[in-house]
């Protein structure tokens, strides 16, 4: 018999111990995200576990998002590519777990985001792109397409330089916020990134590309076990002719090789997006992200990712691009908490 429990601060070590031992776990599963989401966006986040003879055998983190004028939905987890159910039990009944969770949370639907290396395609068309890193950056360089190497050289000859350090958060956020506005997407609050740095500590770094003293591209990186991940990266479109993105990703991949990371995770992209093509040119391989949606009010629903690509979302994006940038800096974080 399995015993369902809620994980809190007192037994959080039990959770993270399970995460670090599970082969399918990612940085998104760490217990620290509970604090990050609650303290940056006041989102109620519950972490559930299943015990078998006092051993944790399955975990599921869920954030409750109360939509205005609507019933709450659950997401595992918002803003992240995949943080769904992890389990050890071979005959574990997933539906029993979800039934217990939804009764406690009182949500109308639950979206569970997971990675699946066993399937070839994602129904939603969403993939995370990963590159296996060689132990030597020279080998990595030789494996790159000649066109990619030429663009990196162009950036270097243009005088662009790379700098590491979490003290560059303000510079990262400036470039990131402007880029989100240009894409027509509400920006995360700076507090969100401050909390990530606070709770993930030495497992976070920021890479900035500079033209003279100005930061023209920046990347926010997270380290977990032998994987180096890039969940957020942006560049100043006025400087794209200098190829800052190419130098930025080369420096990140080189860092991964030199610091003995085995894998680099470029983050999620839709198969038709320009970012998907950009990532594959480095040799990254697509791995399907599966977004399971469980509805509990007998209504047919679509995942949040799918809804982002509808006509209403396109209209919103078009309008958002034309709102003054300073206003979006204030309004964006207030809306972003409702866009998982």
């Amino acid at each position: 018999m399995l015993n369902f429990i809620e994980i809190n601060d007192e037994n959080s070590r039990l959770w993270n111990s399970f995460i670090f031992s599970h082969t399918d776990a990612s940085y998104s599963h760490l217990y620290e995200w509970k604090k990050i989401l609650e303290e940056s966006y006041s989102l109620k986040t519950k972490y559930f576990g299943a015990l078998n003879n006092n051993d944790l055998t399955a975990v599921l983190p869920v954030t409750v998002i109360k939509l205005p004028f609507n019933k709450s939905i659950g997401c595992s987890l918002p803003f992240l590519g995949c943080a769904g159910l992890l389990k050890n039990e071979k005959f574990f009944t997933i539906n029993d777990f979800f039934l217990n969770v939804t009764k406690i949370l009182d949500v109308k639907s639950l979206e569970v985001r997971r990675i699946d290396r066993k399937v070839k395609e994602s129904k939603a068309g969403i993939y995370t792109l990963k590159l296996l890193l060689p132990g030597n950056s020279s080998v990595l360089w030789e494996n790159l397409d000649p066109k990619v190497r030429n663009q990196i050289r162009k950036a270097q000859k243009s005088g662009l330089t790379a700098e590491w350090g979490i003290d560059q958060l303000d510079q990262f956020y400036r470039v990131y916020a402007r880029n989100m506005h240009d894409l027509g997407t509400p920006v995360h609050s700076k507090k969100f990134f401050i909390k990530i740095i606070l709770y993930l500590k030495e497992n976070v770094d920021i890479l900035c590309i500079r033209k003279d003293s100005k930061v023209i591209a920046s990347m926010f990186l997270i380290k977990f076990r032998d994987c180096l991940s890039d969940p957020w990266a942006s560049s100043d479109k006025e400087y794209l002719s200098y190829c800052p993105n190419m130098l930025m990703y080369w420096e990140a991949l080189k860092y991964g090789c030199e610091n003995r990371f085995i894998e680099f995770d470029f983050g999620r992209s839709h198969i038709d997006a320009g970012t998907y093509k950009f990532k594959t040119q480095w040799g990254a391989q697509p791995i399907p992200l599966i977004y399971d949606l469980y509805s509990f009010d007998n209504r047919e629903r679509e995942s949040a990712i799918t809804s982002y690509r509808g006509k209403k979302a396109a209209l919103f994006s078009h309008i958002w691009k034309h709102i003054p940038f300073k206003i979006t800096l204030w309004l964006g974080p207030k809306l972003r908490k409702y866009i998982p």
Side-chain angles (χ1 to χ4, degrees):
M1 293 293 293
L2 296 177
N3 181 29
F4 296 95
I5 64 168
E6 183 177 340
I7 305 293
N8 50 39
D9 291 356
E10 294 180 359
N11 51 9
S12 61
R13 288 186 179 181
L14 181 65
W15 178 285
N16 274 352
S17 178
F18 179 86
I19 297 305
F20 276 102
S21 66
H22 201 287
T23 55
D24 293 333
S26 71
Y27 69 85
S28 304
H29 286 96
L30 291 170
Y31 181 82
E32 284 76 8
W33 286 100
K34 173 176 167 59
K35 292 179 173 292
I36 292 167
L37 294 170
E38 288 179 340
E39 294 181 15
S40 59
Y41 284 120
S42 299
L43 290 170
K44 183 173 78 171
T45 303
K46 299 286 187 179
Y47 278 39
F48 298 98
L51 291 176
N52 185 2
N53 295 324
N54 294 322
D55 291 326
L56 196 61
T57 191
V59 298
L60 178 68
V62 181
T63 293
V64 177
I65 300 174
K66 179 66 174 75
L67 300 175
F69 312 109
N70 213 331
K71 195 175 181 181
S72 300
I73 63 172
C75 185
S76 179
L77 281 173
F79 320 138
L80 303 171
C82 60
L85 177 74
L86 293 177
K87 63 188 182 72
N88 283 338
E89 289 290 329
K90 186 176 294 186
F91 302 106
F92 182 82
T93 304
I94 295 177
N95 287 340
D96 288 347
F97 200 172
F98 289 162
L99 185 61
N100 276 272
V101 168
T102 51
K103 282 182 178 179
I104 295 171
L105 297 178
D106 188 27
V107 293
K108 66 180 181 182
S109 64
L110 174 63
E111 181 170 304
V112 180
R113 302 174 174 181
R114 59 187 175 89
I115 194 169
D116 195 337
R117 297 177 184 267
K118 297 178 183 178
V119 300
K120 294 183 178 181
E121 295 184 1
S122 164
K123 291 183 180 179
I126 305 295
Y127 297 80
T128 189
L129 291 106
K130 296 190 176 188
L131 175 66
L132 291 177
L133 298 174
N136 190 306
S137 60
S138 297
V139 176
L140 175 65
W141 178 263
E142 292 301 322
N143 289 339
L144 294 177
D145 186 274
K147 182 180 178 180
V148 172
R149 292 200 299 262
N150 288 337
Q151 290 177 315
I152 296 170
R153 291 191 187 101
K154 180 180 180 180
Q156 293 169 333
K157 291 177 180 178
S158 298
L160 304 191
T161 57
E163 186 173 336
W164 291 84
I166 57 173
D167 59 332
Q168 302 176 108
L169 177 60
D170 288 344
Q171 293 91 330
F172 160 81
Y173 192 78
R174 178 186 62 80
V175 177
Y176 160 76
R178 173 61 71 176
N179 187 51
M180 289 298 101
H181 177 261
D182 293 341
L183 292 173
T185 303
V187 68
H188 273 297
S189 68
K190 185 184 288 188
K191 187 177 182 180
F192 177 64
F193 295 103
I194 291 173
K195 293 297 181 179
I196 294 175
I197 292 173
L198 174 64
Y199 286 111
L200 297 187
K201 298 181 174 63
E202 67 275 3
N203 294 318
V204 173
D205 213 335
I206 294 174
L207 170 62
C208 286
I209 301 299
R210 297 175 184 266
K211 174 64 175 171
D212 300 323
S213 60
K214 183 177 181 180
V215 173
I216 62 173
S218 189
M219 178 185 290
F220 196 101
L221 297 109
I222 300 178
K223 309 165 189 176
F224 178 76
R225 293 192 302 213
D226 56 10
C227 183
L228 182 63
S229 299
D230 151 40
W232 298 282
S234 300
S235 60
D236 190 327
K237 65 180 182 180
E238 294 182 11
Y239 293 86
L240 290 182
S241 61
Y242 293 104
C243 301
N245 276 334
M246 303 306 290
L247 180 61
M248 179 168 63
Y249 275 89
W250 164 246
E251 291 291 338
L253 293 172
K254 184 173 69 171
Y255 175 92
C257 291
E258 294 172 350
N259 288 273
R260 299 184 179 181
F261 287 96
I262 296 176
E263 192 174 54
F264 186 90
D265 189 344
F266 286 80
R268 65 180 175 181
S269 289
H270 191 274
I271 194 168
D272 296 324
T275 54
Y276 182 94
K277 297 175 182 177
F278 175 86
K279 295 168 184 178
T280 55
Q281 72 178 330
W282 296 92
Q285 298 299 310
I287 301 173
L289 293 178
I290 309 302
Y291 287 7
D292 299 316
L293 189 65
Y294 301 86
S295 182
F296 305 101
D297 57 5
N298 296 320
R299 289 179 59 186
E300 187 175 340
R301 302 186 184 280
E302 60 181 358
S303 72
I305 289 293
T306 304
S307 64
Y308 293 164
R309 302 183 183 279
K311 292 182 179 180
K312 291 182 180 180
L315 177 61
F316 173 85
S317 180
H318 176 75
I319 295 172
W320 192 260
K321 293 178 183 179
H322 292 85
I323 297 176
F325 176 59
K326 289 185 177 180
I327 294 179
T328 64
L329 284 178
W330 170 79
L331 183 59
K334 299 181 185 303
L335 298 177
R336 193 64 181 84
K337 67 180 293 184
Y338 300 112
I339 308 175

